[in-house]
Amino acid sequence: QVQLVESGGGLVQPGGSLKLSCAASGSIASMFGMGWYRQPPGKQRELIAAIRRGGITNYVDSVKGRFTISRDNAKNTAYLQMDSLKPEDTAVYYCNVLLGNSNYPQWPWGQGTQVTVSS
């Protein structure tokens, strides 16, 4: 059974940094992409960063220049480096597998990791 496990969240002050990790229980072929989603309180889950086949990355405007997505295929792990964090980044963060240019998640959701940005 495939499984995604997110970690690295926590409480951080505005302007601080966190690095999230997403470990996959199974092998993810390099043809698949990885994405990070977030769900703020009372809002829908949205894709905020993706790394596609060939290492092409995409970001929503709200995180562009502050967040960096990466992956280590040998470890079946994806990362999200978050810098210059803002209170509006507060959310539960999830990762998932992407196919092609689709933003539709391919695997079951993990439990997510809570990120809280507050002074």
Side-chain angles (χ1 to χ4, degrees):
Q1 182 178 358
V2 296
Q3 189 175 13
L4 296 165
V5 179
E6 300 91 347
S7 62
L11 174 63
V12 63
Q13 292 186 341
S17 298
L18 282 175
K19 186 173 184 177
L20 307 184
S21 298
C22 167
S25 61
S27 177
I28 302 173
S30 58
M31 64 178 291
F32 291 98
M34 294 292 296
W36 281 97
Y37 299 71
R38 70 183 179 187
Q39 186 167 16
K43 297 185 178 180
Q44 290 187 336
R45 193 173 305 182
E46 66 165 343
L47 179 66
I48 60 167
I51 182 165
R52 310 283 181 177
R53 182 179 182 179
I56 298 172
T57 57
N58 308 109
Y59 302 91
V60 295
D61 287 345
S62 60
V63 307
K64 198 173 295 183
R66 299 188 298 122
F67 290 11
T68 304
I69 187 172
S70 61
R71 67 186 290 181
D72 184 332
N73 292 333
K75 295 181 178 180
N76 294 315
T77 301
Y79 304 96
L80 186 67
Q81 176 68 44
M82 306 187 296
D83 300 316
S84 302
L85 283 161
K86 304 176 181 181
E88 51 263 43
D89 295 318
T90 295
V92 180
Y93 285 70
Y94 302 85
C95 65
N96 214 302
V97 180
L98 303 173
L99 180 62
N101 291 321
S102 172
N103 292 343
Y104 191 81
Q106 299 296 310
W107 283 20
W109 292 107
Q111 84 289 348
T113 185
Q114 175 71 47
V115 172
T116 302
V117 185
S118 175
S119 55

